[in-house]
Amino acid sequence: MRIAIGGISYEGSNFSPIPVGANDFVVRTGGDLLSCGRYPFLDDLARSVDAPVEFVPTLHARSGPGGPLERAAYEAFKRGFVKALAAAGPVDGLYLDLHGALFVEGMEDAELDWALAARRVVGNACLISASMDLHGNISPAFAQAVDMLTAYRTAPHADVIETRQRALALLIGCLERRERPTVAQVTVPVLLPGERSSTAAEPAAALYARLPGVDRRAGILDASLFMGFAWSDEPRTSAAVTVTGFDRAAQERAAAELAQALWDARTDFSYAVPFGTIDDCIHQALAAGVAPVFISDAGDNPTAGAVGDVPLFLERLLALDVPDAVLAAIPDREAVAVCMAAGEGSEVSLTVGGKLDRRHGPPLPVAGHVERLVMGDPETGSQAVVRVGGVRLILTERRKAFTELADFAAVGIDPRAHKIVVVKLGYLFPELARTAALALLALSPGVSDLELTRLPYRRVRRPIYPLDPQMEWQAMGK
Ligand SMILES: [Zn+2]
């Protein structure tokens, strides 16, 4: 049994004006791909079957969320993958390790393009199994291009490795039994931001709890619920259900049931923490008798593909004369350079942010005191902490999400010593959630705006909820 492994994992927002290129990606090939930690279960899987199993690495490219992927970079990754796949010789199975929300400049449904390129190499006899993030957007054509498909069942994602293992176990099982499954797919016309569909809360918890029961039905191997990636604008952008199996009628029935349940729950999805405008959140934080209060500047969240340099929140903190706040962080190469040239302890005049994402607020002129400079970290570049009024503003040379205490410690800041900590995130990552005495979600404008009706959708298939709130829809018979 020879099984090739490869793919591309990237979540790209086409609302972001900043494209990403090949240099933003980690590319793994050969033995490095098999041993990099993405698939720690390969030996166990191989031992679980009687026939000898050989895993054949091809190419896998990945990067954290961002804007559109440059077309040339995508084509180069695909060429490398196809070449390695062809060089691998005949394979019985192919596992595609994908995210599902890859947006490439000038393309739509990039994962379909990748899967079709793979199919041209491996031929029709080869079984293709894919796994994705539940924040992937699944077109009917993609579901048809692969033989099996599964997705994460938790958000925040706690089953990443387990999902990859399930995709490979499904593939190996079908090869062993010489069975060829299909994937039934139902597009559910709903756009949902991740912040309203945590599987730790209802209604997502109950929806995902139904999946194992569906998996066990006769003729069905796997049921998957995709919440989709709402900050992209393609015809495929939406929630979806897929059911992999051997009994088409049972699969379609199960997919329709789950799709209807998701549709029926569409208005029940809500935020797990208090939310409001930027000003609402600042007032609520100041009035709270606890500290630190973390406020997520959710519209400008780099972990959802946004740019992170919208200075609107800083402007409001200063306008409201907030006495003690940290803002983490704004990527601004020029402003960091000014701070570096001036040196620690200097007074500086800066124009902050608004240089990359120009649509959501102009650069903000501020005068401040350079408290701290941190030189050239390979990931973030240099960083500066500038005190502006009551705000400690963290400036980074490159885009950086502050997701844990160590990120703050690296610039000499302990969030626990401050009243308000503003982060460019959606939901807080676990350590920050534990640190926050109170967490608030600011529905601020930006590329990752949680108020989806404010985003300039043009390509998404209409009608779709909530852009067309009055629409009606039935899953049965789809
Ligand atoms: Zn995700």
Side-chain angles (χ1 to χ4, degrees), residues 11 99 133-136 152 154-155 157 229:
E11 182 181 85
H99 178 285
D133 190 308
L134 64 84
H135 299 120
Y152 302 159
T154 59
H157 309 311
F229 181 62

Side-chain angles (χ1 to χ4, degrees), residues 176-195:
E176 263 197 309
R177 299 188 303 270
R178 299 185 183 279
E179 289 175 320
R180 175 159 220 148
T182 65
V183 182
Q185 184 270 8
V186 178
T187 297
V188 188
V190 172
L191 295 173
L192 270 173
E195 272 59 36

Side-chain angles (χ1 to χ4, degrees), residues 408-433:
F408 290 89
V411 291
I413 288 178
D414 182 352
R416 289 164 292 203
H418 295 276
K419 175 69 180 175
I420 295 178
V421 182
V422 178
V423 281
K424 299 262 182 187
L425 296 176
Y427 280 153
L428 299 178
F429 284 56
E431 191 184 34
L432 298 187

Side-chain angles (χ1 to χ4, degrees), residues 209-334:
R210 293 171 68 150
L211 300 184
V214 178
D215 293 346
R216 285 193 294 270
R217 290 187 196 170
I220 288 177
L221 292 174
D222 178 273
S224 290
L225 262 176
F226 292 85
M227 292 297 167
F229 181 62
W231 298 294
S232 90
D233 185 18
E234 296 186 45
R236 65 171 175 160
T237 305
S238 75
V241 176
T242 63
V243 178
T244 299
F246 311 107
D247 180 337
R248 197 68 193 185
Q251 289 163 251
E252 282 171 6
R253 202 161 48 240
E257 269 171 43
L258 291 167
Q260 189 68 46
L262 175 53
W263 171 260
D264 291 344
R266 70 194 178 284
T267 58
D268 300 337
F269 291 93
S270 63
Y271 303 111
V273 299
F275 60 94
T277 64
I278 294 176
D279 282 27
D280 291 342
C281 289
I282 293 174
H283 290 307
Q284 201 177 330
L286 289 173
V290 294
V293 180
F294 275 69
I295 309 176
S296 294
D297 184 0
D300 192 29
N301 168 13
T303 72
V307 177
D309 85 328
V310 178
L312 195 55
F313 213 119
L314 176 61
E315 194 259 310
R316 296 315 301 154
L317 288 169
L318 298 173
L320 295 172
D321 217 3
V322 171
D324 176 19
V326 172
L327 194 152
I330 291 182
D332 191 325
R333 187 174 294 274
E334 290 165 38

Side-chain angles (χ1 to χ4, degrees), residues 19 43 71 152-153 317 351 369 407-408 449:
D43 289 343
R71 182 67 179 259
Y152 302 159
R153 293 176 171 191
L317 288 169
T351 53
H369 177 83
D407 296 324
F408 290 89
D449 200 324

